[in-house]
Amino acid sequence: MPTREEITYFGAGPASLPTTVLQNASSAILNFQNTGLGLAEHSHRSALSNDILAATENSLRSLLSIPEDYAVLFMQGGGTTQFSAVAYNLLGYWVQTQLNKANGDIEVVREKLKKAKMDYVVTGGWSQKGSEEAKRLFGDGIVNVVTDSKKGFGEYCGIEEEKKWKRTAGEDNVFTYYCDNETVDGVEFPGFPKSLEGGVVAADMSSNILSRRVDVSKFHIIFAGAQKNIGTTGLTIVILKSAILQTQPTPATLRALYLPIPPIMMSYPILAKNNSLYNTLPIFDVWIAGEVMKELVAAGGLAKQEDVANRKAGKIYAAVARAPGIFKVVPLEGARSRMNICVRAQPAELEGVFLKGAEERGLLGLKGHRSVGGIRISNCMPCFTSLFSCILWLTWKPADNSITEAGVDKLVQYIDEFVQKNA
């Protein structure tokens, strides 16, 4: 039976957690802070739980330099729930904004709704699912797919030039939605799309949040499932402009406009008013996320995290590039993810051989997503070490996480050996 130290897990999520966090969690689940109760047993309404929420939010704000006029919500339901919640709340924000301009005239807004569009930048499976959910809730007519990589490239392997995007102009644009990193397809935006500057923008950052610095002020909403870069399955983090909470129509107004009313657990204002505690929030999962964030803050923040993520991804891409006759990177240059390196072996039969050999070496979770196959090398989890160690060693070293540089080096060595054997 292998030990934890002998395994490097490259799965895309749920991803492995840092060992130090799990060690602390093993005692916290039995007896948290000498209370005689495990953390999962404490009331979500307790002062202890409120302290955990506050500490976790403070760490997140520190890491991302979140502006004061932004709120943070802790939710459940994963990123999939946010496909609906984002559309409900941003449409509500748009409706109330238009009502304010029209001095409350419902008929004026009803006419404007006929031209209103939710813009979706579809670059992979997750943004495609987001657009389909918006169509399911509000109808095909209100959803505008500004670009579809699959139609442009034949598969989800790139991002069309922004000048070719068919965006909705002016106040007819309700919002623009994109997925910053497509976990399944290995496509990542190199930065914030310039053509979206100044607009109402929502982004799914589930698989690359906390892997690099982000200018939060450019977004109205950022959301992320915690299970890839932050913590355990069951927690979703939403960062949103406070104006969205303050500018929402009443249920009566939505009925008058023949629009659906969002379910109560997807209403951002209700959740914010209740400090994310409208129902029973999994405080243990919030605490896990907070422990990871606290260590990232102590290790130097996202500037160093970004450097390490880039370096590890660079090593993997370089190894694959040394074997063009054996491996082919699926995404095009300029859109290749640092978090999910998607490759295909040539011939395809070699993929099974490669995966089997990897498992024998303790390199797990390398099989591609079931919808596309192939090989997917995920580089999701954070790297950190203690501040004490930073001072002791007089330098910052990534350590004690699921995908260390040593783990990446082990994979690179296996790739090189595999190529030599099968070339």
Side-chain angles (χ1 to χ4, degrees):
M1 181 180 295
T3 64
R4 185 173 182 84
E5 291 72 24
E6 294 172 320
I7 296 296
T8 304
Y9 182 65
F10 292 93
S16 295
L17 285 163
T19 300
T20 51
V21 171
L22 288 178
Q23 288 170 336
N24 292 337
S26 66
S27 58
I29 201 74
L30 289 173
N31 186 354
F32 187 68
Q33 295 183 353
N34 294 318
T35 58
L37 288 175
L39 182 51
E41 299 167 302
H42 277 272
S43 169
H44 63 298
R45 305 287 184 191
S46 66
L48 180 149
S49 292
N50 275 280
D51 287 346
I52 290 171
L53 280 168
T56 303
E57 179 176 337
N58 287 339
S59 292
L60 182 66
R61 286 185 176 276
S62 176
L63 286 166
L64 287 171
S65 300
I66 298 174
E68 290 186 4
D69 61 337
Y70 279 70
V72 174
L73 300 177
F74 298 100
M75 296 179 62
Q76 299 170 67
T80 301
T81 296
Q82 296 308 314
F83 297 160
S84 308
V86 165
Y88 277 127
N89 286 273
L90 285 184
L91 180 59
Y93 177 62
W94 181 89
V95 163
Q96 189 58 48
T97 299
Q98 299 306 315
L99 272 171
N100 293 344
K101 291 180 180 179
N103 297 316
D105 192 324
I106 290 286
E107 290 303 322
V108 170
V109 177
R110 189 176 288 148
E111 285 300 309
K112 287 186 175 183
L113 269 169
K114 294 178 181 178
K115 297 189 295 180
K117 297 289 183 182
M118 302 175 182
D119 281 3
Y120 280 79
V121 181
V122 177
T123 55
W126 291 115
S127 51
Q128 190 270 335
K129 286 185 177 182
S131 69
E132 289 300 320
E133 177 65 355
K135 291 177 183 179
R136 190 183 72 85
L137 292 174
F138 302 102
D140 291 356
I142 199 171
V143 175
N144 172 43
V145 176
V146 303
T147 181
D148 187 334
S149 296
K150 198 168 190 177
K151 291 181 179 178
F153 300 105
E155 59 181 333
Y156 290 132
C157 64
I159 302 170
E160 187 180 44
E161 293 178 85
E162 290 183 48
K163 64 183 180 182
K164 296 181 180 179
W165 292 5
K166 298 177 177 61
R167 296 186 57 225
T168 303
E171 65 178 20
D172 291 340
N173 175 251
V174 178
F175 63 84
T176 303
Y177 176 106
Y178 76 98
C179 181
D180 205 36
N181 183 80
E182 291 282 1
T183 321
V184 172
D185 307 284
V187 171
E188 183 178 27
F189 280 81
F192 185 84
K194 292 182 179 180
S195 65
L196 303 185
E197 294 273 2
V200 178
V201 179
D204 176 357
M205 294 190 183
S206 292
S207 53
N208 67 349
I209 196 167
L210 303 189
S211 71
R212 64 184 180 187
R213 291 161 289 183
V214 172
D215 185 350
V216 174
S217 68
K218 292 184 177 182
F219 301 86
H220 275 62
I221 294 176
I222 293 170
F223 71 85
Q227 70 273 14
K228 300 179 188 298
N229 278 9
I230 302 175
T232 49
T233 303
L235 179 69
T236 307
I237 293 171
V238 181
I239 304 164
L240 72 159
K241 209 169 179 62
S242 296
I244 297 169
L245 304 173
Q246 302 152 5
T247 313
Q248 291 290 327
T250 65
T253 298
L254 290 172
R255 289 191 190 96
L257 292 168
Y258 312 117
L259 292 173
I261 299 167
I264 202 162
M265 288 307 297
M266 294 183 191
S267 171
Y268 293 152
I270 289 174
L271 293 172
K273 183 179 179 181
N274 288 275
N275 191 31
S276 299
L277 296 172
Y278 186 82
N279 73 331
T280 307
L281 188 69
I283 292 297
F284 182 74
D285 296 319
V286 177
W287 179 81
I288 289 283
E291 289 294 293
V292 172
M293 293 180 200
K294 182 173 67 176
E295 294 286 355
L296 285 174
V297 171
L302 297 190
K304 290 180 179 177
Q305 176 70 8
E306 184 174 352
D307 288 343
V308 175
N310 292 348
R311 187 163 63 246
K312 291 193 296 179
K315 287 183 177 182
I316 296 168
Y317 277 116
V320 172
R322 289 194 290 270
I326 300 292
F327 294 111
K328 176 188 176 184
V329 178
V330 177
L332 303 172
E333 287 192 44
R336 290 175 178 173
S337 171
R338 301 160 304 123
M339 297 290 99
N340 310 103
I341 294 95
C342 293
V343 301
R344 299 306 301 255
Q346 304 168 94
E349 293 76 21
L350 280 180
E351 288 175 359
V353 179
F354 178 84
L355 293 172
K356 185 175 184 297
E359 289 184 4
E360 292 170 352
R361 289 164 175 77
L363 304 168
L364 308 183
L366 290 167
K367 187 175 182 179
H369 190 271
R370 63 185 182 279
S371 65
V372 295
I375 298 163
R376 176 174 59 177
I377 306 163
S378 293
N379 183 31
C380 292
M381 285 302 296
C383 297
F384 55 70
T385 190
S386 67
L387 181 60
F388 172 77
S389 296
C390 295
I391 297 170
L392 182 64
W393 297 337
L394 302 179
T395 184
W396 184 82
K397 297 181 180 180
D400 194 32
N401 74 293
S402 63
I403 305 176
T404 62
E405 286 205 72
V408 169
D409 290 341
K410 185 178 178 181
L411 173 63
V412 167
Q413 181 181 356
Y414 171 55
I415 291 173
D416 288 339
E417 291 174 358
F418 183 84
V419 170
Q420 291 176 4
K421 185 176 180 179
N422 291 280

